[in-house]
Amino acid sequence: FGGDAIRIRLVEFIEHGLANGLSVLVGEVHTLPRVSYQVHFAAGSRHERPGITGITHLFEHMMFKGTEQVGPEEFSRIIQANGGTLNAFTTTDNTSYYENLPADKLELAVRLEADRLGNLRLTPETLEPEREVVRSERKMRAVNSPFGLLIEQLFALAYEQHPYRWPVIGWDQDLKNLTLEDCREYYRLHYSPANGVVVVAGDVPADEVFRMVEKYYGPIPSQPRPRSAIPEEKPQRGEKRAVFKKVSQVAAFFAGFHIPGITHPDLFPLQVLCSALSAGRSSRFFEKFEKPGKAVEARAEVGYPPFLTMDPGLLQIYAIASPAISLDTLEKEIWEEVDKLRQEPLPAEELTKVKKQARASFLQALETLFFKGLLAGIYQVRAGNFRLIDSILPNYEAVKAEDLLRVARKYLRPENRTVITLQPVSQSEHEELGEVE
């Protein structure tokens, strides 16, 4: 794996807090005259409830609809005209906005972001078009995609109480019924300074960033962070299974095993375990299933820093069967391969290889200012402590064969497994089953 890993230092972020509760993290990187400016809010689909699912993602769209000073969509045009790129994304645990731009344009981004945090205009004229945009997005990503509805069914079955059971995009029925008052209340509760983290990574002095943020965000009134009453998921006490019928050219299955959240040390051996199963052309799944033509694709995924769920999540294993084998046979052989990791330690040579893969993938992502900022900001939101990023490389370094054996036995048990099987049907049978939204 290489002992140099523990000597590699990540960007050192300096923390500052405003009187209104806003947290600010600055990492100085003076290699190029660029900065990545990011604002991360503790607002994800886990903060929703039945009846308003999808409001977090819808609100991400609404944040681009203008203020008293900046017209609808003008935010994007201003940033692009000044040599920047921008976007936003919503997850289960956070919503994030970012601008990557020349260092001398940083104050422009600070001013614009603070303006829409404090002065967003929410009107029926802006809500209705965005509602339809998001509903169309749901159709494209879930309803009309090969496996989107299958994955939704997996989470809905695996979780009985926790909000991870509904998709980030939301249920269509809720999207149709969301009101302007729902949006205003969500904005009031979740888009407050105390619920956000500003991150700047790039070629700018920290004290200058703090001055800018204080100037533009300081006047925004403080308010308490929203109360969180997220129900804790009970341990699963037996395998859950369901069949999902749809028109498809292939048969497939998706499975999920409950695993801990972002701060738990077991996530690092679980990531290495997934690499052994399906990372690259020398992985076990590729050699046993894809290379011989049994599977079109076979994967094991647990996520990677910083995109590890705040609360206990799912390690997913899925496979798409080729015409040469039945799905039942493929699934049986997949579980036999997984069980080998529960029976015997990973050979030393294979362990060294997969740890190198995990390290290389992480370090490659770190080459960008954008990822450096994401790492600090999302760890601050999801784990409550951005300094945990300093332990990522040492945690990979510390993984041993006995750790993989232990986590495989602990989490990859049939009793902890939920499986959704895709059963292809004809167009006529699909229509008889009813419309999906």
Side-chain angles (χ1 to χ4, degrees):
F1 184 55
D4 60 327
I6 58 174
R7 293 194 297 270
I8 295 174
R9 288 193 59 81
L10 305 182
V11 177
E12 186 172 342
F13 283 88
I14 304 171
E15 186 176 15
H16 177 68
L18 272 60
N20 59 14
L22 182 70
S23 295
V24 188
L25 305 177
V26 179
E28 295 188 27
V29 184
H30 301 291
T31 51
L32 290 171
R34 302 282 298 180
V35 293
S36 182
Y37 182 79
Q38 306 173 8
V39 190
H40 305 275
F41 292 98
S45 58
R46 77 185 284 277
H47 302 99
E48 299 168 351
R49 56 177 168 75
I52 62 165
T53 69
I55 194 171
T56 310
H57 177 248
L58 173 63
F59 207 84
E60 175 206 318
H61 286 241
M62 297 300 293
M63 283 288 279
F64 290 89
K65 304 315 291 184
T67 67
E68 295 297 333
Q69 302 296 323
V70 179
E73 310 303 335
E74 193 177 338
F75 185 112
S76 300
R77 290 194 291 270
I78 293 171
I79 293 294
Q80 291 164 352
N82 282 272
T85 58
L86 74 160
N87 213 328
F89 59 89
T90 306
T91 72
T92 53
D93 303 305
N94 63 278
T95 305
S96 300
Y97 303 84
Y98 62 88
E99 294 82 43
N100 301 318
L101 69 173
D104 62 357
K105 301 295 183 182
L106 174 61
E107 188 164 1
L108 174 67
V110 179
R111 176 172 62 80
L112 289 173
E113 283 286 6
D115 179 43
R116 66 176 173 180
L117 176 59
N119 305 299
L120 187 68
R121 291 186 71 234
L122 294 170
T123 67
E125 291 75 25
T126 55
L127 173 60
E128 294 309 320
E130 290 309 309
R131 182 203 308 277
E132 295 310 310
V133 168
V134 173
R135 292 185 65 205
S136 296
E137 193 175 333
R138 171 173 169 75
K139 277 193 177 295
M140 179 181 68
R141 289 187 181 182
V143 178
N144 296 330
S145 71
F147 306 113
L149 292 174
L150 204 69
I151 296 169
E152 285 189 354
Q153 185 73 48
L154 173 66
F155 279 80
L157 185 60
Y159 288 97
E160 296 178 0
Q161 295 180 302
H162 194 279
Y164 288 165
R165 71 187 312 271
W166 52 75
V168 172
I169 196 76
W171 302 123
D172 190 66
Q173 188 65 28
D174 288 348
L175 292 172
K176 283 192 292 188
N177 292 318
L178 288 172
T179 68
L180 191 61
E181 283 309 308
D182 291 330
C183 291
R184 286 174 174 158
E185 180 69 0
Y186 195 84
Y187 180 52
R188 184 186 70 81
L189 285 175
H190 298 285
Y191 280 72
S192 66
N195 209 42
V197 180
V198 166
V199 184
V200 179
D203 187 24
V204 63
D207 57 353
E208 187 177 332
V209 175
F210 297 147
R211 178 188 61 77
M212 290 181 193
V213 174
E214 191 78 53
K215 176 182 176 181
Y216 292 103
Y217 284 88
I220 301 174
S222 63
Q223 65 178 54
R225 295 191 66 180
R227 289 184 58 193
S228 180
I230 309 297
E232 185 176 339
E233 189 68 25
K234 296 176 183 177
Q236 189 166 313
R237 301 185 64 85
E239 185 184 61
K240 300 178 184 179
R241 281 189 170 265
V243 173
F244 193 90
K245 295 182 177 183
K246 65 169 291 188
V247 176
S248 175
Q249 300 301 311
V250 296
F253 78 87
F254 281 70
F257 297 83
H258 293 279
I259 57 170
I262 188 170
T263 59
H264 201 287
D266 281 355
L267 286 179
F268 291 92
L270 284 168
Q271 288 175 61
V272 173
L273 182 149
C274 286
S275 293
L277 286 175
S278 67
R281 298 176 70 85
S282 62
S283 66
R284 295 187 174 200
F285 279 1
F286 183 85
E287 288 287 341
K288 297 291 177 63
F289 304 111
E290 294 185 34
K291 188 175 180 180
K294 292 182 176 181
V296 176
E297 188 176 0
R299 292 287 183 273
E301 299 175 348
V302 72
Y304 57 90
F307 295 105
L308 303 165
T309 54
M310 185 173 181
D311 299 325
L314 293 184
L315 183 155
Q316 296 181 59
I317 293 177
Y318 68 90
I320 304 167
S322 73
I325 189 172
S326 72
L327 184 63
D328 288 345
T329 301
L330 176 60
E331 185 188 344
K332 177 176 177 292
E333 293 185 10
I334 289 278
W335 298 138
E336 288 172 355
E337 196 61 38
V338 170
D339 281 342
K340 290 179 183 177
L341 294 174
R342 303 177 69 234
Q343 303 301 326
E344 54 195 45
L346 210 66
E349 184 178 349
E350 188 176 3
L351 178 61
T352 299
K353 179 198 70 174
V354 294
K355 286 171 67 174
K356 281 184 177 178
Q357 286 175 326
R359 172 181 181 268
S361 176
F362 179 70
L363 291 175
Q364 185 177 15
L366 267 178
E367 292 179 0
T368 67
L369 293 173
F370 173 61
F371 187 78
K372 289 178 173 75
L374 281 187
L375 200 62
I378 293 180
Y379 261 88
Q380 184 70 8
V381 169
R382 297 190 182 193
N385 183 2
F386 72 93
R387 293 181 178 87
L388 290 177
I389 65 178
D390 292 328
S391 64
I392 292 173
L393 285 169
N395 279 333
Y396 283 133
E397 173 84 10
V399 173
K400 296 179 174 58
E402 52 264 36
D403 295 320
L404 298 190
L405 197 61
R406 176 180 58 80
V407 298
R409 289 172 175 174
K410 183 175 182 179
Y411 301 108
L412 300 185
R413 297 175 291 107
E415 298 83 7
N416 190 38
R417 185 170 68 202
T418 301
V419 184
I420 307 294
T421 300
L422 170 60
Q423 182 177 323
V425 297
S426 65
Q427 182 64 38
S428 60
E429 186 174 354
H430 168 80
E431 292 171 0
E432 288 175 5
L433 290 169
E435 195 65 35
V436 180
E437 292 185 337

